[in-house]
């Protein structure tokens, strides 16, 4: 089986040294740079927006995975594409016309994903699933890095994997929030193939090694 795709979240990085942090990721085994855009309305926090994404893009050699935690994301898809987004995900809970939002992302030649909050059932994706390049399952309530992993997501990954096998086998299953080396093994076993990790990577002594260890996790990895 192919290695797990790793998307370190820049939210936990040192923003005063963004070029250095991006270069570290460039030299690591990371597949993406995950960028968390928060508007203070959809989530109770404000992070960063277009200028930071453009600045990251200038140095990034990895694809940019942009996670939009904002209301009315449709208004800004063209701008995020222009800033350098390669993959764009929008929240199910923020999109009353989700099918249109997904087509909008695709029309800008970006990979399109839907994000589900911890309480939103995967069954709600039944009709949209064939349209998606990826689904992002939140394993914390969105808005902050460094929160505790909500283990119920593992069962959601399992259910979603069965749905994808049936309706869209190419669809990636990404998990975001509180991911560490232990729950990562369980997530991969359940069917996740794309992991976001913020504080686990950036708060470690050796982020490059942590990324490499996550990258090499497989369904039969040993859990201590
Ligand atoms: C939370 C964000 C996450 C966050 C992950 O709203 O979507 O991407 O940065 O950070 P950790 O890995 O610290 O939970
Ligand atoms: Zn995120």
């Amino acid at each position: 089986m192919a290695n797990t795709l790793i998307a370190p979240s820049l939210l936990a990085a040192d923003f005063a040294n963004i070029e250095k942090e991006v270069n570290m990721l460039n030299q690591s085994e990371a597949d993406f740079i995950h960028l968390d855009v928060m508007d203070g309305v959809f989530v109770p926090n404000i992070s960063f927006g277009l200028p930071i994404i453009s600045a990251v893009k200038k140095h990034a050699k990895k694809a940019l995975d942009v996670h939009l935690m904002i209301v009315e994301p449709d208004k800004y898809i063209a701008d995020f594409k222009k800033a350098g987004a390669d993959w764009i995900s929008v929240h199910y809970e923020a999109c009353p016309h989700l099918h249109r939002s997904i087509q909008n992302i695709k029309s800008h030649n970006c990979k399109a994903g839907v994000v589900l909050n911890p309480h939103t059932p995967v069954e709600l994706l039944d009709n949209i699933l064939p349209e998606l390049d990826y689904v992002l399952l939140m394993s914390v309530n969105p808005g902050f890095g460094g929160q505790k992993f909500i283990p119920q997501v593992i069962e959601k990954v399992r259910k979603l994997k069965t749905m994808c096998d049936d309706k869209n086998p190419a669809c990636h299953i990404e998990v975001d929030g509180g991911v560490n080396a232990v729950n990562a093994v369980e997530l991969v076993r359940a069917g996740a193939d794309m992991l976001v990790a913020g504080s686990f990577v950036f708060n470690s002594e050796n982020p490059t090694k942590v990324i490499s260890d996550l990258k090499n996790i497989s369904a039969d990895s040993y859990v201590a």
Side-chain angles (χ1 to χ4, degrees):
M1 203 186 127
N3 276 349
T4 310
L5 299 168
I6 304 300
S9 166
L10 217 56
L11 194 63
D14 176 1
F15 277 85
N17 286 296
I18 207 75
E19 184 178 350
K20 186 174 137 260
E21 300 281 45
V22 171
N23 282 334
M24 180 278 286
L25 295 176
N26 285 340
Q27 280 149 26
S28 78
E29 290 177 55
D31 299 277
F32 298 91
I33 300 177
H34 182 87
L35 294 149
D36 290 300
V37 179
M38 304 177 185
D39 66 354
V41 179
F42 179 67
V43 288
N45 196 11
I46 298 174
S47 57
F48 52 78
L50 297 159
I52 294 282
I53 293 181
S54 303
V56 169
K57 188 69 175 181
K58 265 192 221 149
H59 304 290
K61 296 194 176 114
K62 311 280 179 171
L64 302 192
D65 171 32
V66 176
H67 173 189
L68 296 181
M69 286 163 271
I70 64 175
V71 297
E72 303 191 71
D74 289 271
K75 287 184 180 169
Y76 306 101
I77 300 299
D79 295 329
F80 280 107
K81 165 69 183 180
K82 212 165 140 207
D86 298 291
W87 292 41
I88 298 180
S89 58
V90 292
H91 270 258
Y92 180 92
E93 302 84 4
C95 296
H97 307 287
L98 188 58
H99 187 274
R100 182 183 293 147
S101 306
I102 293 302
Q103 302 314 321
N104 184 6
I105 296 171
K106 288 181 165 180
S107 75
H108 289 93
N109 287 321
C110 289
K111 298 283 186 192
V114 170
V115 193
L116 299 186
N117 276 340
H119 71 280
T120 306
V122 291
E123 286 80 358
L124 290 173
L125 295 177
D126 197 44
N127 292 299
I128 195 81
L129 195 55
E131 306 291 327
L132 303 181
D133 296 301
Y134 64 119
V135 175
L136 197 177
L137 298 179
M138 290 306 302
S139 40
V140 298
N141 286 294
F144 303 91
Q147 301 182 82
K148 198 165 166 280
F149 181 80
I150 300 172
Q152 282 84 346
V153 75
I154 293 167
E155 187 52 33
K156 286 175 78 174
V157 172
R158 246 181 241 122
K159 278 190 195 164
L160 179 61
K161 174 70 177 143
T162 307
M163 289 166 66
C164 289
D165 286 347
D166 181 32
K167 298 203 159 184
N168 182 356
C171 183
H172 294 279
I173 302 179
E174 181 175 25
V175 178
D176 182 8
V179 170
N180 60 38
V182 174
N183 57 38
V185 177
E186 296 181 73
L187 290 166
V188 169
R189 273 187 198 150
D193 67 342
M194 201 168 156
L195 300 176
V196 177
S199 39
F200 186 64
V201 167
F202 285 96
N203 295 351
S204 77
E205 298 271 299
N206 189 345
T208 312
K209 178 168 186 308
V210 169
I211 292 167
S212 173
D213 290 347
L214 286 173
K215 179 80 193 158
N216 289 301
I217 279 172
S218 69
D220 49 13
S221 292
Y222 174 74
V223 191

